[in-house]
Amino acid sequence: MARGWPIGSEAGFSMRLKSSLKSSSILLLVFLLCTGAGTVDENLLHNGELQEGTLNDPTHWRAESLRHDSKTFSWSHPPGAPGELQITSGKDVMARWSQTVNLAPGWYRLSGELRTENVDREQGNAQIGVFAGGVIWGLPIKPHSSDWNSGVLYFKIGTPRELPIVCLLVASRGTAHFRRILLTRTSAPPREADQVDLEAKLARFERFTRRTIPQHFQQPTGSRWTVPATILMLVAITLAGWFGFKRSQTD
Protein backbone atom coordinates (compact mmCIF):
# COMPACT_ATOMS: atom_id res chain seq x y z
CA MET A 1 0.00 0.00 0.00
CA ALA A 2 1.28 3.29 -0.99
CA ARG A 3 2.13 5.58 1.86
CA GLY A 4 0.60 9.07 1.69
CA TRP A 5 1.35 12.35 3.47
CA PRO A 6 -1.15 13.36 6.12
CA ILE A 7 -3.25 16.40 5.18
CA GLY A 8 -1.97 18.35 8.17
CA SER A 9 1.64 17.72 7.18
CA GLU A 10 1.00 18.87 3.58
CA ALA A 11 -0.49 22.14 4.76
CA GLY A 12 2.46 22.70 7.07
CA PHE A 13 4.90 22.08 4.24
CA SER A 14 3.11 24.64 2.04
CA MET A 15 3.30 27.25 4.79
CA ARG A 16 6.99 26.55 5.36
CA LEU A 17 7.63 26.85 1.61
CA LYS A 18 5.91 30.24 1.40
CA SER A 19 7.85 31.45 4.43
CA SER A 20 11.13 30.27 2.89
CA LEU A 21 10.40 32.06 -0.41
CA LYS A 22 9.52 35.25 1.45
CA SER A 23 12.76 35.10 3.43
CA SER A 24 14.75 34.47 0.27
CA SER A 25 13.15 37.49 -1.41
CA ILE A 26 14.05 39.70 1.55
CA LEU A 27 17.64 38.44 1.54
CA LEU A 28 17.91 39.07 -2.22
CA LEU A 29 16.62 42.61 -1.80
CA VAL A 30 19.12 43.29 0.99
CA PHE A 31 21.93 41.88 -1.15
CA LEU A 32 21.00 44.12 -4.10
CA LEU A 33 20.90 47.17 -1.88
CA CYS A 34 24.27 46.34 -0.34
CA THR A 35 25.94 45.78 -3.70
CA GLY A 36 24.42 48.89 -5.24
CA ALA A 37 22.62 46.99 -7.99
CA GLY A 38 19.76 48.89 -9.54
CA THR A 39 20.94 52.27 -8.21
CA VAL A 40 21.68 55.34 -10.33
CA ASP A 41 25.33 56.24 -10.85
CA GLU A 42 26.47 59.18 -8.74
CA ASN A 43 26.78 62.43 -10.64
CA LEU A 44 30.20 63.91 -9.88
CA LEU A 45 28.94 67.33 -10.96
CA HIS A 46 27.34 69.45 -8.28
CA ASN A 47 23.85 70.55 -9.29
CA GLY A 48 24.04 68.58 -12.52
CA GLU A 49 20.24 68.59 -12.73
CA LEU A 50 20.30 72.41 -12.51
CA GLN A 51 17.62 72.69 -9.86
CA GLU A 52 19.54 74.63 -7.19
CA GLY A 53 20.37 78.32 -7.13
CA THR A 54 19.01 81.82 -6.67
CA LEU A 55 17.69 84.31 -9.21
CA ASN A 56 19.78 83.79 -12.37
CA ASP A 57 22.65 82.09 -10.58
CA PRO A 58 22.67 78.25 -10.63
CA THR A 59 24.68 76.86 -7.73
CA HIS A 60 28.23 75.62 -8.55
CA TRP A 61 28.11 76.90 -12.17
CA ARG A 62 30.14 79.89 -13.42
CA ALA A 63 29.21 82.19 -16.29
CA GLU A 64 32.33 83.14 -18.29
CA SER A 65 32.67 85.38 -21.33
CA LEU A 66 35.09 87.85 -22.89
CA ARG A 67 32.17 90.26 -23.19
CA HIS A 68 30.13 89.64 -20.10
CA ASP A 69 26.56 90.78 -20.55
CA SER A 70 23.77 89.97 -18.13
CA LYS A 71 21.56 89.09 -21.10
CA THR A 72 24.04 86.51 -22.39
CA PHE A 73 23.49 83.97 -19.61
CA SER A 74 20.25 82.63 -18.21
CA TRP A 75 19.04 79.71 -16.14
CA SER A 76 15.57 78.20 -16.03
CA HIS A 77 14.15 75.48 -13.78
CA PRO A 78 10.39 75.21 -14.31
CA PRO A 79 8.49 72.92 -11.89
CA GLY A 80 8.26 69.35 -13.11
CA ALA A 81 10.80 69.86 -15.91
CA PRO A 82 14.60 69.54 -16.18
CA GLY A 83 16.63 72.65 -15.41
CA GLU A 84 18.41 74.38 -18.29
CA LEU A 85 21.48 76.52 -18.79
CA GLN A 86 21.16 78.99 -21.66
CA ILE A 87 23.53 81.25 -23.59
CA THR A 88 22.17 83.88 -25.98
CA SER A 89 24.21 85.93 -28.44
CA GLY A 90 23.22 89.03 -30.35
CA LYS A 91 26.79 89.71 -31.54
CA ASP A 92 30.11 87.90 -31.85
CA VAL A 93 30.56 86.08 -28.56
CA MET A 94 32.41 83.16 -27.01
CA ALA A 95 30.69 82.33 -23.74
CA ARG A 96 30.39 79.30 -21.52
CA TRP A 97 28.92 77.91 -18.34
CA SER A 98 31.56 75.86 -16.48
CA GLN A 99 32.18 73.83 -13.36
CA THR A 100 35.60 72.53 -12.27
CA VAL A 101 35.76 69.05 -10.74
CA ASN A 102 38.57 67.21 -8.94
CA LEU A 103 39.01 63.82 -10.58
CA ALA A 104 41.04 60.77 -9.58
CA PRO A 105 42.77 58.58 -12.19
CA GLY A 106 40.47 56.40 -14.26
CA TRP A 107 37.75 56.42 -16.90
CA TYR A 108 34.83 58.85 -16.86
CA ARG A 109 31.56 59.11 -18.76
CA LEU A 110 30.21 62.57 -19.64
CA SER A 111 26.72 62.95 -21.10
CA GLY A 112 24.27 65.77 -21.69
CA GLU A 113 21.59 67.22 -23.92
CA LEU A 114 21.84 70.23 -26.22
CA ARG A 115 19.66 72.20 -28.61
CA THR A 116 20.12 75.53 -30.40
CA GLU A 117 18.02 78.25 -31.96
CA ASN A 118 19.10 80.41 -34.91
CA VAL A 119 22.82 79.63 -34.55
CA ASP A 120 24.66 80.19 -37.84
CA ARG A 121 25.80 76.88 -39.32
CA GLU A 122 28.93 78.42 -40.84
CA GLN A 123 30.13 80.68 -38.01
CA GLY A 124 28.47 79.26 -34.89
CA ASN A 125 29.05 76.23 -32.70
CA ALA A 126 27.78 74.88 -29.39
CA GLN A 127 29.30 72.12 -27.28
CA ILE A 128 29.17 70.22 -24.01
CA GLY A 129 32.59 68.88 -23.12
CA VAL A 130 35.67 68.70 -20.92
CA PHE A 131 38.30 71.44 -21.18
CA ALA A 132 41.91 70.18 -21.07
CA GLY A 133 45.17 71.40 -22.56
CA GLY A 134 43.55 74.43 -24.16
CA VAL A 135 41.08 72.21 -26.08
CA ILE A 136 37.42 71.37 -25.50
CA TRP A 137 36.80 67.66 -26.03
CA GLY A 138 33.11 67.76 -26.88
CA LEU A 139 30.26 65.29 -26.90
CA PRO A 140 29.22 64.00 -30.33
CA ILE A 141 26.07 66.14 -30.57
CA LYS A 142 24.53 67.95 -33.53
CA PRO A 143 25.11 71.63 -32.68
CA HIS A 144 22.52 73.03 -35.09
CA SER A 145 19.18 71.51 -34.19
CA SER A 146 16.10 72.89 -32.46
CA ASP A 147 15.37 69.41 -31.09
CA TRP A 148 17.10 68.07 -28.01
CA ASN A 149 20.10 65.91 -28.92
CA SER A 150 22.08 63.80 -26.47
CA GLY A 151 25.64 62.54 -26.60
CA VAL A 152 28.19 60.59 -24.57
CA LEU A 153 31.96 60.97 -24.31
CA TYR A 154 34.32 58.69 -22.39
CA PHE A 155 37.63 60.14 -21.26
CA LYS A 156 40.57 58.83 -19.26
CA ILE A 157 43.07 60.52 -16.94
CA GLY A 158 46.15 58.95 -15.35
CA THR A 159 46.88 61.43 -12.54
CA PRO A 160 44.61 63.44 -10.21
CA ARG A 161 43.48 66.56 -12.06
CA GLU A 162 41.14 69.52 -11.85
CA LEU A 163 39.18 69.70 -15.10
CA PRO A 164 36.42 72.13 -16.13
CA ILE A 165 33.21 70.71 -17.57
CA VAL A 166 31.85 73.33 -19.96
CA CYS A 167 28.73 74.27 -21.91
CA LEU A 168 29.95 76.54 -24.72
CA LEU A 169 28.50 78.79 -27.39
CA VAL A 170 30.60 80.43 -30.11
CA ALA A 171 28.31 82.42 -32.39
CA SER A 172 27.40 85.73 -33.92
CA ARG A 173 23.79 85.19 -32.93
CA GLY A 174 21.40 82.57 -31.59
CA THR A 175 20.74 80.67 -28.37
CA ALA A 176 22.06 77.39 -26.97
CA HIS A 177 20.26 75.31 -24.32
CA PHE A 178 21.98 72.69 -22.12
CA ARG A 179 20.47 70.20 -19.67
CA ARG A 180 20.84 66.78 -17.95
CA ILE A 181 24.62 67.06 -17.66
CA LEU A 182 25.98 63.90 -16.03
CA LEU A 183 29.57 62.93 -15.13
CA THR A 184 30.22 59.49 -13.63
CA ARG A 185 33.09 57.09 -12.97
CA THR A 186 33.04 54.09 -15.26
CA SER A 187 34.99 51.07 -16.42
CA ALA A 188 36.68 50.89 -19.80
CA PRO A 189 34.21 52.11 -22.47
CA PRO A 190 32.76 50.04 -25.30
CA ARG A 191 35.04 49.87 -28.32
CA GLU A 192 32.59 51.74 -30.55
CA ALA A 193 32.05 54.60 -28.08
CA ASP A 194 33.52 58.08 -28.55
CA GLN A 195 36.53 58.15 -26.24
CA VAL A 196 39.75 60.07 -25.63
CA ASP A 197 42.83 59.35 -23.52
CA LEU A 198 43.29 62.80 -22.03
CA GLU A 199 46.43 61.75 -20.18
CA ALA A 200 48.21 60.97 -23.45
CA LYS A 201 46.92 64.18 -25.06
CA LEU A 202 48.00 66.31 -22.10
CA ALA A 203 51.43 64.65 -21.98
CA ARG A 204 52.04 65.55 -25.65
CA PHE A 205 50.81 69.09 -25.02
CA GLU A 206 53.17 69.51 -22.05
CA ARG A 207 56.15 68.21 -24.06
CA PHE A 208 55.34 70.67 -26.85
CA THR A 209 55.02 73.51 -24.33
CA ARG A 210 58.42 72.74 -22.82
CA ARG A 211 60.04 72.82 -26.26
CA THR A 212 58.48 76.15 -27.23
CA ILE A 213 58.95 78.09 -23.97
CA PRO A 214 62.08 80.35 -24.23
CA GLN A 215 64.97 79.09 -22.13
CA HIS A 216 66.65 81.18 -19.44
CA PHE A 217 69.73 83.19 -20.48
CA GLN A 218 72.87 81.09 -20.30
CA GLN A 219 76.42 82.41 -19.97
CA PRO A 220 78.21 82.19 -23.34
CA THR A 221 80.84 79.48 -23.60
CA GLY A 222 84.10 79.47 -25.57
CA SER A 223 87.54 81.06 -25.48
CA ARG A 224 87.93 84.34 -23.59
CA TRP A 225 89.94 85.72 -26.53
CA THR A 226 87.08 85.30 -29.01
CA VAL A 227 85.47 88.69 -28.32
CA PRO A 228 88.74 90.76 -28.37
CA ALA A 229 89.88 89.02 -31.55
CA THR A 230 86.54 89.77 -33.21
CA ILE A 231 86.78 93.44 -32.22
CA LEU A 232 90.34 93.73 -33.55
CA MET A 233 89.30 92.13 -36.82
CA LEU A 234 86.43 94.61 -37.25
CA VAL A 235 88.77 97.54 -36.46
CA ALA A 236 91.28 96.26 -39.03
CA ILE A 237 88.58 95.97 -41.70
CA THR A 238 87.36 99.48 -40.92
CA LEU A 239 90.88 100.97 -41.09
CA ALA A 240 91.66 99.16 -44.31
CA GLY A 241 88.51 100.55 -45.89
CA TRP A 242 89.24 104.05 -44.65
CA PHE A 243 92.85 104.02 -45.94
CA GLY A 244 91.66 102.66 -49.25
CA PHE A 245 89.12 105.48 -49.52
CA LYS A 246 91.80 108.14 -48.72
CA ARG A 247 94.19 106.70 -51.29
CA SER A 248 91.52 106.83 -53.95
CA GLN A 249 90.92 110.53 -53.09
CA THR A 250 94.62 111.48 -53.50
CA ASP A 251 95.16 109.60 -56.78
Side-chain angles (χ1 to χ4, degrees):
M1 180 181 295
R3 183 179 179 181
W5 293 97
I7 295 177
S9 299
E10 184 176 353
F13 174 78
S14 177
M15 292 178 63
R16 289 193 298 272
L17 179 60
K18 291 180 180 179
S19 177
S20 177
L21 291 174
K22 184 178 180 180
S23 299
S24 299
S25 299
I26 294 174
L27 290 174
L28 179 60
L29 178 61
V30 171
F31 174 77
L32 291 176
L33 291 175
C34 291
T35 57
T39 60
V40 178
D41 291 333
E42 178 188 3
N43 193 350
L44 300 178
L45 290 171
H46 299 291
N47 194 23
E49 288 297 326
L50 307 172
Q51 295 295 330
E52 304 172 11
T54 56
L55 299 178
N56 200 35
D57 184 20
T59 305
H60 299 293
W61 291 91
R62 299 185 305 276
E64 302 170 330
S65 174
L66 296 177
R67 301 177 180 178
H68 189 78
D69 184 346
S70 59
K71 297 180 181 179
T72 300
F73 300 94
S74 58
W75 165 54
S76 63
H77 49 105
E84 293 182 24
L85 298 175
Q86 299 164 5
I87 303 176
T88 301
S89 173
K91 53 188 176 181
D92 291 339
V93 67
M94 182 174 68
R96 70 184 191 182
W97 288 99
S98 73
Q99 180 180 148
T100 299
V101 288
N102 293 300
L103 300 179
W107 278 101
Y108 292 86
R109 182 183 187 273
L110 177 63
S111 62
E113 296 183 1
L114 163 67
R115 72 181 184 91
T116 60
E117 300 171 1
N118 303 318
V119 173
D120 192 290
R121 291 180 175 271
E122 299 297 328
Q123 301 179 1
N125 190 24
Q127 286 184 328
I128 300 173
V130 53
F131 183 75
V135 178
I136 295 178
W137 306 92
L139 274 58
I141 299 180
K142 297 177 181 179
H144 304 100
S145 173
S146 59
D147 297 325
W148 286 107
N149 288 279
S150 61
V152 176
L153 174 70
Y154 292 85
F155 65 89
K156 178 185 178 183
I157 58 174
T159 58
R161 291 185 181 274
E162 289 187 348
L163 293 175
I165 303 300
V166 300
C167 300
L168 174 77
L169 174 65
V170 180
S172 57
R173 61 184 178 86
T175 302
H177 304 257
F178 312 88
R179 72 179 188 183
R180 289 178 174 158
I181 307 163
L182 178 65
L183 176 67
T184 59
R185 288 290 303 261
T186 186
S187 56
R191 182 175 300 178
E192 66 277 6
D194 285 80
Q195 54 187 280
V196 57
D197 187 341
L198 285 184
E199 200 64 32
K201 301 289 185 182
L202 291 172
R204 284 197 289 270
F205 175 77
E206 290 169 0
R207 288 196 298 269
F208 173 79
T209 302
R210 285 197 297 269
R211 288 197 301 267
T212 55
I213 292 178
Q215 300 297 317
H216 294 292
F217 176 77
Q218 296 180 353
Q219 188 71 23
T221 58
S223 174
R224 60 182 179 177
W225 298 107
T226 301
V227 174
T230 302
I231 294 174
L232 290 174
M233 181 179 67
L234 293 174
V235 170
I237 293 173
T238 302
L239 291 174
W242 184 76
F243 283 123
F245 174 76
K246 295 294 290 183
R247 187 178 299 109
S248 64
Q249 292 291 325
T250 56
D251 290 345

